[in-house]
Amino acid sequence: MTPLRGPHHFTGITRDVLTNVDFWCRVMGLRFVKNTLNFETTFRYHTYFGDEEGNPGTVVTFLEFKEAPPGVPGRGDIHRLVLRVASYDSLEYWMDRLIAEEMHSEMLRLDPTQPQSLVFWDPEGHEVELMVSDTPDPPQIADADDIPLEHRIRGLEGARSYTTLEEQLPFAAHFGFERDGTRLALKGNDRHGRWYFSPPPDRPSGDGRVGVWHHIAFDAGDQAETQKARDFANQGTTPWTRIFDHYFFDSCYTMSPGGRMEICTTGPGFQLDEKLEDLGDRLCLSPRVEPLRARLERENVMIVNPRPRSKAAKKRKSAKAAPSSNGAPAEPAKVG
């Protein structure tokens, strides 16, 4: 039995936090569930998006590193976030929505042995795949009135890496992943997770660059269960870090043949310091960093939630209405 409950979140890197929030919340229709800081620093944003409650298995997050150069994934990197949609009609809907945002996308539908998908890049070059998934997991959806319910994002499917299944299998089998055709599949205690693979390109890893996914995280339960899972993981093929307190959940990390992986606690979650209706409406700081609030709010650009839920936040947003910061998206970086 795997010690993991299933996917928890997926993380990339942003240099432009306003464009990041505008795209993932407004365009993709995910809920902006937490506006906070990167817990390894005391001055960089960390943005979180997910379903209506920010449940594990739905969350996409970004670490702010303004100085990080743009790049492209290489050998051993996670090169694509895979999200679930309900149907082929949903892929058509998303292609049209992305066209309206002046964004390129590509339909993958001609190989009957592979899932039907739509691939595109976010404004900072992160590759994303919307997949018609065969998972039996119930959909986990955010409210977004301008996106039909049947076409909204339904949760995390998994990762796609520039490595081979054979290279990843010894690492992943330790956690209960099993070979399932051309992918590895995890039946967690709560939900399914998949790991997909693409032929590795002839270029080195782009780890740490904008446009390269930073890690995928899997949920192990409460603190005691996560410590047990970490100790079990450390007996596998790669060493793991100690467990770190990240306020909303605790985490430990390793590097796999197919990219960085995290094991984390289920919670306490994003309602630790905000009510459900207020998620994403203000800068939330851990008690450790709270003494820096005045300076942070003075020196940092302030984020406005594009899809607030509370009446007070909606009123503030309406009073400050301005054109979207999300212009024509960046093209994926080219490799010479």
Side-chain angles (χ1 to χ4, degrees), residues 70-87:
V72 291
R75 292 187 300 273
D77 290 331
I78 297 173
H79 75 95
R80 195 180 295 169
L81 159 65
V82 187
L83 297 170
R84 294 169 178 161
V85 294
S87 67

Side-chain angles (χ1 to χ4, degrees), residues 120-182:
F120 61 95
W121 294 264
D122 82 352
E124 295 186 279
H126 294 92
E127 194 170 343
V128 184
E129 180 173 349
L130 303 184
M131 178 183 289
V132 181
S133 174
D134 61 359
T135 179
D137 298 355
Q140 296 173 289
I141 295 172
D143 290 344
D145 291 344
D146 58 320
I147 300 175
L149 178 62
E150 66 271 22
H151 297 323
R152 294 176 196 168
I153 304 301
R154 298 163 70 89
L156 302 179
E157 170 76 3
R160 190 180 290 275
S161 293
Y162 276 142
T163 189
T164 66
L165 184 153
E166 288 72 23
E167 288 178 302
Q168 189 75 357
L169 182 58
F171 168 87
H174 188 67
F175 301 99
F177 281 87
E178 297 180 350
R179 184 191 296 263
D180 180 17
T182 59

Side-chain angles (χ1 to χ4, degrees), residues 61-74:
T61 96
F62 289 86
L63 307 166
E64 182 193 38
F65 284 93
K66 295 178 182 177
E67 73 279 17
V72 291

Side-chain angles (χ1 to χ4, degrees), residues 13-325:
I13 299 174
T14 180
R15 291 196 303 178
D16 183 348
V17 72
L18 294 184
T19 295
N20 173 258
V21 172
D22 179 72
F23 178 77
W24 285 95
C25 183
R26 182 184 65 83
V27 178
M28 296 302 296
L30 299 181
R31 185 170 184 187
F32 186 31
V33 293
K34 190 59 62 177
N35 172 7
T36 189
L37 297 186
N38 178 345
F39 292 100
E40 268 65 61
T41 68
T42 60
F43 58 94
R44 304 178 191 273
Y45 276 121
H46 193 166
T47 55
Y48 294 80
F49 311 92
D51 74 350
E52 196 59 23
E53 298 179 356
N55 286 308
T58 72
V59 178
V60 182
T61 96
F62 289 86
L63 307 166
E64 182 193 38
F65 284 93
K66 295 178 182 177
E67 73 279 17
V72 291
R75 292 187 300 273
D77 290 331
I78 297 173
H79 75 95
R80 195 180 295 169
L81 159 65
V82 187
L83 297 170
R84 294 169 178 161
V85 294
S87 67
Y88 176 78
D89 287 345
S90 297
L91 300 181
E92 294 278 12
Y93 170 83
W94 280 102
M95 178 172 269
D96 289 340
R97 185 172 178 86
L98 293 168
I99 289 170
E101 294 291 329
E102 299 182 11
M103 302 191 70
H104 297 304
S105 59
E106 181 177 9
M107 197 80 78
L108 305 180
R109 60 185 181 180
L110 303 183
D111 184 347
T113 69
Q114 298 297 318
Q116 293 179 325
S117 297
L118 181 72
V119 176
F120 61 95
W121 294 264
D122 82 352
E124 295 186 279
H126 294 92
E127 194 170 343
V128 184
E129 180 173 349
L130 303 184
M131 178 183 289
V132 181
S133 174
D134 61 359
T135 179
D137 298 355
Q140 296 173 289
I141 295 172
D143 290 344
D145 291 344
D146 58 320
I147 300 175
L149 178 62
E150 66 271 22
H151 297 323
R152 294 176 196 168
I153 304 301
R154 298 163 70 89
L156 302 179
E157 170 76 3
R160 190 180 290 275
S161 293
Y162 276 142
T163 189
T164 66
L165 184 153
E166 288 72 23
E167 288 178 302
Q168 189 75 357
L169 182 58
F171 168 87
H174 188 67
F175 301 99
F177 281 87
E178 297 180 350
R179 184 191 296 263
D180 180 17
T182 59
R183 67 187 180 185
L184 293 175
L186 174 77
K187 173 58 175 78
N189 297 325
D190 290 338
R191 52 196 173 273
H192 293 74
R194 278 71 178 266
W195 213 309
Y196 298 85
F197 305 97
S198 298
D202 187 22
R203 58 176 178 264
S205 167
D207 185 42
R209 294 175 179 264
V210 178
V212 181
W213 290 103
H214 192 265
H215 65 265
I216 184 172
F218 288 85
D219 173 10
D222 63 22
Q223 289 181 323
E225 290 169 321
T226 300
Q227 183 65 60
K228 185 176 179 181
R230 182 267 168 200
D231 294 342
F232 174 77
N234 206 43
Q235 299 170 12
T237 61
T238 63
W240 285 74
T241 68
R242 57 168 291 176
I243 295 176
F244 303 110
D245 178 2
H246 285 161
Y247 191 41
F248 303 111
F249 46 82
D250 299 344
S251 306
C252 58
Y253 303 85
T254 195
M255 290 298 294
S256 82
R260 187 178 286 103
M261 177 174 160
E262 173 184 342
I263 294 174
C264 64
T265 57
T266 306
F270 301 118
Q271 295 182 55
L272 174 64
D273 56 357
E274 286 184 298
K275 295 180 181 178
L276 178 61
E277 70 170 11
D278 296 328
L279 292 179
D281 288 347
R282 67 181 184 93
L283 176 62
C284 291
L285 301 175
S286 68
R288 184 179 191 179
V289 185
E290 184 62 40
L292 288 172
R293 177 176 292 277
R295 180 177 179 184
L296 288 166
E297 292 183 345
R298 183 173 65 249
E299 296 181 353
N300 283 14
V301 60
M302 289 293 101
I303 300 172
V304 177
N305 187 348
R307 295 181 183 271
R309 302 301 194 264
S310 69
K311 292 181 179 178
K314 288 179 180 178
K315 186 175 181 180
R316 290 195 302 270
K317 180 176 180 290
S318 177
K320 297 179 180 179
S324 167
S325 64

